[in-house]
Amino acid sequence: MSISPLKLVTRIIKYSAVASVCSASFYSVAAQTTQQASLHNIADQISAQRIGDDIQTLVDFGTRHTLSETKSDTRGIGAARRWIKKEFEAISAQCGGCLEILEVKQTISGEKRIPDPVEVVNIIAIQRGNTDPNRMVMMSGDIDSRVSDVMDFTSDSPGANDNASGVAGVIEAARVLSQYTFNGSVVYAALSGEEQGLFGGKILTAYAQKNNWQVHGVLNNDMIGNITGINGVTDNTTARIFSEGTRVVETKEQARTRRFTGGEVDSASRNLARYIDTIADKYIENLDTMLVYRLDRFARGGHHRPFNDAGFAAVRIMETNEHYDRQHQDLRTENGVVYGDTIDGVDFDYAAKLTSLNAVSLASMAWAPAPPKEVKISGAVRASTTLSWQPTEDKNVAGYRIYWRYTSEPQWQYSQWVDKASEFTLKNVVIDNYYFGVASVNKQGIESPVVFPGAVGSFDHNIK
């Protein structure tokens, strides 16, 4: 049975907000603490043991290479994806059929890393929202693995951290979040074909566009289990969030506007990253997230990129210190150095911590209203700044919170509560000195990500 967040009161949480110039109480304290208590409980329910068991199961398939065996029940990517599908089916059975489970697939051929026809299959589970089912937030991980030779599909390739850890996190998030009901929809995605060219992400992105999904956040998890880096650092208290600064689909006119109004560090993806960073501070114990102002690691890529290419807000969440001897390596020992992505290199508690971050972020966004649309700003050569946005028909919206910060600051510094309206003027706040944004707030005090004014910050992927 689903647990309504308004009926789950297991602890009282003192509200801690960003510095505000308004101290008015604008929603019920009882309702507020209920839903925030639910977010704490979601974090607490993530199990390191279950994640470890799932990583071991995925490792035991020998190889999950995109070109590997598909008929065997015990080896290869076919067996792995059938097991993932069964796990989603078992989770759905526990919540009364709350998950819609799909195989989103396409046959790929004629590519450098997929020369012959191969069916690339994504296993997707959708937990539909009650009031806004076409608004999506997504957690993804990659099924496939590889060794040194990207075309070697027969050698053992455990892929324990890269990326059984991410897939195990997706499955565990589904186990926990399926116990709750949300306003928006949550998508759990096990993607294929990443190592061969990000094909799974491309296929799912096209599916989302075809079905008119309002994708307001993709949290791609690629390597969330390693705590000891090639640099000799061992650290289980930090994680990285990569996000692009401006949208790749930006038009020349939009770029011209941005040149004169700012927004180079305020794309929807960047403000999604800030949102997750705030979730870590509020709800995840002993975890500090690093906002990395880059699409991905230097000259490298991941499965959030196809979603960015379509204009969707998408980020990559991963460990802080990578160990390259444990990535894309044949299993071997040379000169006393052990190579290979084996399960002994995965810290299950750390993977659980990052999974908790994902689960709470997804729940918060799915409970929150949609980010404001048509956010605009004015105030040139004036003493005050005015922001406006499109009125909403969402009855669960209590109002809005305007944020601003100095242009050199990474996180929002100041805020102003606004009752349910569509315009507000910040008196004696000069537009030249700050960046601004607006978030929607529900009656339980849960906020959407902040939207920077104009096309640069919109969460509407096809804004003109």
Side-chain angles (χ1 to χ4, degrees), residues 16-238:
S16 177
V18 176
S20 174
V21 296
C22 178
S23 61
S25 176
F26 56 90
Y27 49 79
S28 164
V29 173
Q32 169 202 339
T33 55
T34 298
Q35 205 160 68
Q36 292 188 0
S38 297
L39 293 174
H40 279 281
N41 276 278
I42 286 168
D44 292 343
Q45 289 176 64
I46 299 296
S47 167
Q49 179 65 54
R50 290 194 297 261
I51 288 173
D53 291 345
D54 289 345
I55 292 173
Q56 184 65 67
T57 298
L58 289 163
V59 166
D60 287 344
F61 289 115
T63 179
R64 304 184 307 278
H65 193 284
T66 299
L67 311 183
S68 65
E69 172 68 49
T70 60
K71 302 298 183 183
S72 171
D73 291 329
T74 59
R75 185 176 179 84
I77 194 167
R81 65 197 185 206
R82 285 190 293 274
W83 174 79
I84 294 167
K85 187 176 182 180
K86 288 180 180 178
E87 287 300 302
F88 281 145
E89 289 170 345
I91 294 167
S92 187
Q94 291 293 315
C95 61
C98 72
L99 299 182
E100 177 185 345
I101 301 165
L102 309 171
E103 291 186 0
V104 180
K105 55 191 177 182
Q106 182 180 332
T107 298
I108 305 295
S109 65
E111 299 287 344
K112 182 178 180 180
R113 294 186 176 185
I114 307 182
D116 301 318
V118 170
E119 191 174 46
V120 177
V121 183
N122 300 318
I123 308 299
I124 310 299
I126 305 172
Q127 184 177 345
R128 293 283 179 179
N130 287 341
T131 61
D132 202 358
N134 213 43
R135 174 166 60 92
M136 309 288 192
V137 290
M138 181 188 306
M139 180 179 179
S140 66
D142 310 317
I143 304 173
D144 57 315
S145 63
R146 60 164 286 190
V147 289
S148 301
D149 180 358
V150 72
M151 300 303 292
D152 180 355
F153 58 88
T154 58
S155 296
D156 280 350
S157 177
N161 189 45
D162 185 16
N163 187 30
S165 65
V167 173
V170 170
I171 295 170
E172 179 64 9
R175 289 192 186 104
V176 172
L177 296 184
S178 60
Q179 302 174 58
Y180 299 80
T181 58
F182 301 102
N183 300 321
S185 295
V186 181
V187 179
Y188 311 98
L191 304 175
S192 293
E194 192 263 355
E195 302 289 4
Q196 306 309 112
L198 309 179
F199 289 104
K202 294 174 184 177
I203 293 166
L204 185 57
T205 298
Y207 182 89
Q209 292 174 310
K210 180 180 178 181
N211 288 275
N212 197 33
W213 285 5
Q214 300 169 31
V215 180
H216 287 165
V218 177
L219 282 57
N220 180 49
N221 288 255
D222 196 343
M223 295 185 289
I224 61 170
N226 177 65
I227 63 171
T228 299
I230 195 73
N231 55 3
V233 174
T234 298
D235 176 16
N236 66 356
T237 65
T238 64

Side-chain angles (χ1 to χ4, degrees), residues 149-375:
D149 180 358
V150 72
M151 300 303 292
D152 180 355
F153 58 88
T154 58
S155 296
D156 280 350
S157 177
N161 189 45
D162 185 16
N163 187 30
S165 65
V167 173
V170 170
I171 295 170
E172 179 64 9
R175 289 192 186 104
V176 172
L177 296 184
S178 60
Q179 302 174 58
Y180 299 80
T181 58
F182 301 102
N183 300 321
S185 295
V186 181
V187 179
Y188 311 98
L191 304 175
S192 293
E194 192 263 355
E195 302 289 4
Q196 306 309 112
L198 309 179
F199 289 104
K202 294 174 184 177
I203 293 166
L204 185 57
T205 298
Y207 182 89
Q209 292 174 310
K210 180 180 178 181
N211 288 275
N212 197 33
W213 285 5
Q214 300 169 31
V215 180
H216 287 165
V218 177
L219 282 57
N220 180 49
N221 288 255
D222 196 343
M223 295 185 289
I224 61 170
N226 177 65
I227 63 171
T228 299
I230 195 73
N231 55 3
V233 174
T234 298
D235 176 16
N236 66 356
T237 65
T238 64
R240 293 180 291 179
I241 309 173
F242 289 87
S243 62
E244 66 175 4
T246 57
R247 300 190 309 164
V248 70
V249 296
E250 182 181 63
T251 67
K252 289 184 178 180
E253 184 58 33
Q254 290 167 354
R256 183 181 184 279
T257 299
R258 176 173 53 79
R259 183 184 182 196
F260 292 98
T261 61
E264 293 82 0
V265 293
D266 277 277
S267 65
S269 294
R270 186 62 50 77
N271 278 312
L272 172 61
R274 290 189 178 100
Y275 187 88
I276 299 167
D277 178 60
T278 300
I279 290 292
D281 291 341
K282 287 185 176 182
Y283 298 104
I284 311 301
E285 295 181 0
N286 202 28
L287 180 66
D288 181 35
T289 53
M290 179 192 304
L291 297 177
V292 184
Y293 285 10
R294 184 179 285 132
L295 171 65
D296 207 314
R297 296 139 316 149
F298 191 83
R300 302 176 72 184
H303 243 151
H304 58 302
R305 195 177 82 196
F307 296 97
N308 286 144
D309 290 345
F312 294 128
V315 300
R316 177 185 183 130
I317 298 174
M318 68 176 301
E319 62 210 24
T320 301
N321 299 286
E322 296 180 67
H323 202 306
Y324 307 125
D325 293 346
R326 298 173 183 168
Q327 294 177 19
H328 303 173
Q329 296 285 351
D330 292 336
L331 301 178
R332 68 194 193 280
T333 300
E334 291 181 356
N335 300 320
V337 178
V338 178
Y339 294 87
D341 188 1
T342 53
I343 197 166
D344 57 308
V346 179
D347 186 289
F348 304 148
D349 289 327
Y350 180 71
K353 188 183 296 186
L354 267 59
T355 299
S356 295
L357 175 64
N358 279 264
V360 176
S361 299
L362 293 169
S364 184
M365 285 188 287
W367 271 325
K373 294 184 178 182
E374 300 290 336
V375 177

